[in-house]
Amino acid sequence: MAEDATSRALIPVLVTLMLLTGVCNTLLTKYQDMICVRDCNTSNPKHFEQPVLQTAQMFVGESGCWLLVFVFALFKRFARASRGYTPIPDSQEDANAALKPLIAKDGRKPLRGWATLYLALPSACDIIGTTLMNSGLLFVAASIYQMTRGALVLFVGLFSVILLKRRLAAYQWLALVVVVLGVGIVGVAGSLDRAETPLNVTAPPPLKQAREALEAAVLGARAAAKEPLAWQTAVGVLMIAGAQIFTATQFVFEEFILERYSVEPLKMVGWEGVFGFGVTVVGMAVLHFFIGRTEAGRYGYFDAVEGFRQFVQVPGIFLSSVLIMISIGGFNFFGLSVTRTVSATSRSTIDTCRTLFIWIVSLGLGWESFKWLQIAGFALLVYGTFLFNDLVGVPWACCVRGRATRRSEPLLEEEPIEHA
């Protein structure tokens, strides 16, 4: 009983930290895109545009989950030794909910040995999806980026029906249509009033001039975040929405693996980080060899040498990269803890609040302007997500029966691992 009370008391802390790290991750990534790296004193400054390198740094953050696994294992060992306690073999007494194995069915085998290579499949989808999203974020505001990610529920629903043979009630199909409509309205809102041209942004000075750095960052971000051309916004929204296809495929792969194997969530994130980082590094080398080192590809998205030069020599890039790695690792850890201590639907609701906070912070920093049409699209996204997760009432009585069936058969039996 005491442990249950402690877990309940920790829920507000876990939720707060999940929101904080999630919001920081998106805003830091967008801020990184706005840092000038070349020709900063000219009329045509060049900003940081390395989506593949940003994907690699995300996987480094996920790989950092192994540090948490090691720390918790070490803590348990010392705690048991100090009490003179000898653990019973195969017991499941992990101190944190995020360390408990994901067990939904009896008879599942532990994910060990060569079986861990199965996690390379969702990692490959994560690479493509994350790179597309990072590329799309170059062209849109942070809030539009986060709202467009709401299309994920559409593809998760479709793929679950096609591949996992799940069934959706009529009100759930309606929810998917509402989500698509909301994403479309957000995209249209982002494409309106795009007349201003981005101005120069310089990288922040060293940490010892913290106050000046903060002022320069805010003023520079306001200039660089001025909305791009309408066609660029449309391309960005399409890239982010298309990336949700790969993210949904990743979630379905993860569900397929979890139906057959039991694995601790932090270890699952850690393994995907290791596999993802390895494949991304190889992909960066190949893309640099064939595209990045050519005259046309120089200083472009696939110029890995230039990307690493900017990472090392521009203080703002290096600092923001470190903070992004920490935030993505923290977001995964706190998000998994929330999922295991509360529920999957609560996690979805909290993530919707993250979108709202990102939009509010972006407005406060002057990164974007207020648009009522964007509010309408966001409202539809929220309603569609809540309706799909049974958090609001159905719009007509004939769906009540299907709603009861839905409660007995969840879309995904375990909450998918969230990656930024």
Side-chain angles (χ1 to χ4, degrees):
M1 294 295 293
E3 292 183 358
D4 292 339
T6 302
S7 298
R8 285 193 293 270
L10 284 175
I11 289 176
V13 178
L14 295 173
V15 169
T16 301
L17 291 174
M18 174 188 164
L19 281 172
L20 178 62
T21 52
V23 170
C24 287
N25 181 260
T26 300
L27 294 177
L28 284 169
T29 304
K30 181 60 182 178
Y31 170 72
Q32 191 176 64
D33 292 337
M34 296 186 296
I35 295 177
C36 180
V37 292
R38 286 188 301 108
D39 302 331
C40 298
N41 296 321
T42 66
S43 60
N44 187 27
K46 306 300 181 185
H47 302 97
F48 185 73
E49 297 179 341
Q50 293 289 335
V52 182
L53 184 60
Q54 289 176 326
T55 301
Q57 69 188 18
M58 182 202 72
F59 284 122
V60 172
E62 291 184 3
S63 301
C65 289
W66 285 110
L67 294 176
L68 294 175
V69 172
F70 174 76
V71 168
F72 277 108
L74 199 63
F75 175 78
K76 280 174 42 179
R77 191 170 201 177
F78 279 109
R80 287 168 175 169
S82 64
R83 297 195 306 263
Y85 169 70
T86 302
I88 300 174
D90 298 327
S91 64
Q92 297 174 8
E93 298 185 359
D94 295 300
N96 190 283
L99 294 174
K100 295 180 181 178
L102 291 171
I103 297 178
K105 298 179 181 178
D106 294 332
R108 291 196 293 178
K109 299 180 294 184
L111 189 66
R112 297 173 180 169
W114 291 102
T116 56
L117 292 177
Y118 289 137
L119 294 176
L121 294 174
S123 295
C125 296
D126 198 8
I127 292 171
I128 300 174
T130 302
T131 303
L132 281 174
M133 286 189 287
N134 287 336
S135 300
L137 185 57
L138 294 170
F139 305 114
V140 301
S143 63
I144 293 178
Y145 162 84
Q146 192 65 33
M147 292 179 190
T148 307
R149 291 187 62 187
L152 175 63
V153 67
L154 168 67
F155 298 111
V156 170
L158 293 177
F159 291 170
S160 297
V161 170
I162 296 172
L163 301 178
L164 299 179
K165 308 302 180 184
R166 301 287 160 77
R167 298 179 62 184
L168 299 182
Y171 75 92
Q172 290 179 285
W173 289 109
L174 173 64
L176 296 182
V177 173
V178 171
V179 166
V180 173
L181 182 61
V183 171
I185 292 177
V186 167
V188 171
S191 300
L192 297 177
D193 301 325
R194 306 280 167 156
E196 298 186 45
T197 304
L199 300 177
N200 187 17
V201 180
T202 56
L207 288 177
K208 63 180 181 180
Q209 300 175 351
R211 184 173 181 179
E212 290 78 1
L214 181 59
E215 293 176 355
V218 172
L219 293 175
R222 286 178 176 175
K226 297 300 182 182
E227 296 85 353
L229 299 176
W231 71 268
Q232 291 179 324
T233 301
V235 170
V237 169
L238 288 175
M239 293 178 72
I240 297 167
Q244 305 316 304
I245 298 176
F246 297 97
T247 304
T249 305
Q250 171 196 341
F251 285 0
V252 171
F253 273 139
E254 288 175 343
E255 174 66 11
F256 180 83
I257 293 170
L258 291 172
E259 284 181 344
R260 290 156 179 78
Y261 297 93
S262 64
V263 57
E264 297 169 10
L266 276 181
K267 288 185 178 180
M268 186 170 187
V269 176
W271 276 121
E272 289 189 7
V274 171
F275 289 133
F277 179 75
V279 175
T280 302
V281 169
V282 172
M284 288 176 64
V286 173
L287 290 171
H288 176 76
F289 181 81
F290 287 103
I291 302 177
R293 68 172 188 165
T294 64
E295 189 64 29
R298 190 180 182 188
Y299 301 125
Y301 295 163
F302 307 120
D303 189 346
V305 173
E306 175 65 13
F308 281 112
R309 183 197 68 79
Q310 295 169 4
F311 176 81
V312 174
Q313 296 183 4
V314 181
I317 301 296
F318 179 80
L319 178 60
S320 59
S321 293
V322 173
L323 294 176
I324 288 170
M325 294 175 193
I326 295 173
S327 65
I328 188 61
F331 179 70
N332 278 310
F333 174 71
F334 296 120
L336 289 169
S337 299
V338 170
T339 298
R340 305 309 297 164
T341 54
V342 190
S343 68
T345 52
S346 297
R347 172 88 178 268
S348 300
T349 307
I350 294 166
D351 206 48
T352 302
C353 296
R354 177 165 69 117
T355 304
L356 179 61
F357 284 126
I358 289 172
W359 179 68
I360 292 174
V361 173
S362 297
L363 286 176
L365 292 175
W367 289 7
E368 55 184 290
S369 57
F370 183 87
K371 298 181 181 67
W372 284 106
L373 192 58
Q374 189 172 340
I375 293 293
F378 177 65
L380 287 175
L381 278 172
V382 172
Y383 178 72
T385 302
F386 282 16
L387 179 61
F388 193 87
N389 288 321
D390 294 326
L391 296 176
V392 295
V394 293
W396 58 78
C398 65
C399 289
V400 174
R401 189 173 184 180
R403 188 181 180 85
T405 304
R406 152 71 172 154
R407 291 175 188 264
S408 62
E409 183 182 359
L411 178 65
L412 294 180
E413 306 225 355
E414 297 286 356
E415 177 73 0
I417 306 300
E418 177 70 34
H419 303 277

